Amino acid sequence: MSKETKIFTVDFDNTCALEDFPGVGPDVPYAAETLKKLQEQGHKIILWTCRTNNQLRLAEKWFEDHGIHLDAINDFVYNERNLELIRDFGCSRKVIGDFNIDDKNLGSPLMKMTNTDNGKQYIVVDWQKIQKEIEKILG
């Protein structure tokens, strides 16, 4: 793949922070660092979540607190490639990205993590493995 700007759609619960719905749990290790690095390299970040209203605002705040600008929320980034898709296929609810990072994706690298606040164990995205895969793909 070329060095062009890529679009990453990112889930929130158990991908960026532990699921503590309707609140926000502790950070998933390396999530913020990886997303910041992608953004610094010029890539776009779309938050793709089921959260709405106040719960969505808490997720947005997580990104703000970590210095990560969201290019879109549950919507696609308007660029030439996506505008072509809209012209060809009409409007869609599907968020269009080059890569989707979600703890529910088949094949996503996952790991177990324990919330030290309540002792509950979670299956979360393994961002160190994500970083390695991105480096292999994007160079």
Side-chain angles (χ1 to χ4, degrees):
M1 264 191 187
S2 68
K3 295 269 184 180
E4 70 184 37
T5 297
K6 299 296 181 187
I7 300 169
F8 289 81
T9 63
V10 180
D11 179 44
F12 185 70
D13 291 295
N14 292 334
T15 300
C16 297
L18 291 184
E19 183 178 341
D20 191 17
F21 195 83
V24 173
D27 293 356
V28 171
Y30 303 104
E33 295 88 345
T34 303
L35 292 168
K36 281 186 77 142
K37 184 177 177 182
L38 288 170
Q39 198 156 59
E40 288 166 1
Q41 293 171 348
H43 302 296
K44 304 292 184 192
I45 308 295
I46 298 174
L47 174 58
W48 190 17
T49 181
C50 291
R51 286 176 173 252
T52 59
N53 303 319
N54 291 336
Q55 294 81 22
L56 177 58
R57 181 65 193 121
L58 291 173
E60 290 175 283
K61 186 174 179 343
W62 183 91
F63 286 91
E64 291 169 12
D65 291 348
H66 289 83
I68 301 165
H69 167 77
L70 292 171
D71 296 288
I73 300 169
N74 292 333
D75 201 357
F76 50 82
V77 173
Y78 289 89
N79 62 23
E80 188 59 37
R81 181 179 58 216
N82 289 342
L83 291 176
E84 272 182 37
L85 290 170
I86 293 168
R87 281 193 300 272
D88 293 344
F89 301 106
C91 200
S92 171
R93 295 179 311 157
K94 183 175 182 178
V95 175
I96 301 168
D98 296 297
F99 301 99
N100 302 315
I101 302 173
D102 189 328
D103 63 305
K104 304 296 187 214
N105 281 350
L106 185 62
S108 283
L110 303 173
M111 65 181 196
K112 289 183 180 178
M113 182 176 169
T114 302
N115 185 338
T116 55
D117 295 338
N118 61 19
K120 187 174 176 184
Q121 205 168 51
Y122 297 83
I123 303 295
V124 301
V125 168
D126 185 332
W127 281 94
Q128 285 185 307
K129 289 182 180 174
I130 292 280
Q131 283 180 332
K132 289 177 185 172
E133 287 300 312
I134 291 169
E135 288 169 7
K136 280 196 291 190
I137 293 168
L138 299 182

